[in-house]
Amino acid sequence: MWRQGKKLAQVARIQARGQLYIPGARDEPDAEFDEALAAFGFQQAEEDPDAPPPDKCHLWPCNVAAFNVWQRLQTQWRESAMGGRTGLDYASVTGYLRDVLGIKPKERIALFGCIQAMEIAALEEWAKQKT
């Protein structure tokens, strides 16, 4: 069930780029957000017609549970003194999987592997953005 690390890593990369699109989540621009930007003299950037199209990635149904856990763990990043993310706090992650979600040890090991695949992909993508 938790063996789809490559596909999940691709989703994490897209999310790290800020390009993750979840149908139905926010299909329409939010007028309130536009007003808030305008109050500070900003507006949302228009899409660049010359830009390459964003990667498309479909989340397989078997990966939805792992992705949902990944989303909940976004508050568990460790940060360096310089302000960059260095990785997830594994003690918090394992505690969450065990104590909050009640995942059994064998499944927890497999899920942790998926989470690590997404973590590595996100860290690699953020590193690319810094260069």
Side-chain angles (χ1 to χ4, degrees), residues 91 93-103 108:
V93 170
T94 55
Y96 181 76
L97 298 177
R98 181 190 61 238
D99 300 336
V100 176
L101 297 180
I103 297 174
R108 195 166 52 232

Side-chain angles (χ1 to χ4, degrees), residues 23-99:
R26 289 188 63 141
D27 292 340
E28 302 275 330
D30 188 0
E32 221 174 283
F33 181 72
D34 289 340
E35 288 174 21
L37 284 174
F40 291 99
F42 298 111
Q43 66 182 29
Q44 290 192 54
E46 296 293 323
E47 289 187 30
D48 181 0
D50 298 326
D55 291 343
K56 285 200 174 183
C57 174
H58 297 278
L59 188 61
W60 294 345
C62 61
N63 288 334
V64 170
F67 179 74
N68 287 339
V69 171
W70 168 254
Q71 289 295 96
R72 290 185 207 121
L73 294 174
Q74 294 307 296
T75 59
Q76 300 307 314
W77 286 99
R78 289 184 177 229
E79 304 242 351
S80 72
M82 302 299 282
R85 293 175 179 168
T86 60
L88 290 170
D89 181 337
Y90 286 172
S92 297
V93 170
T94 55
Y96 181 76
L97 298 177
R98 181 190 61 238
D99 300 336

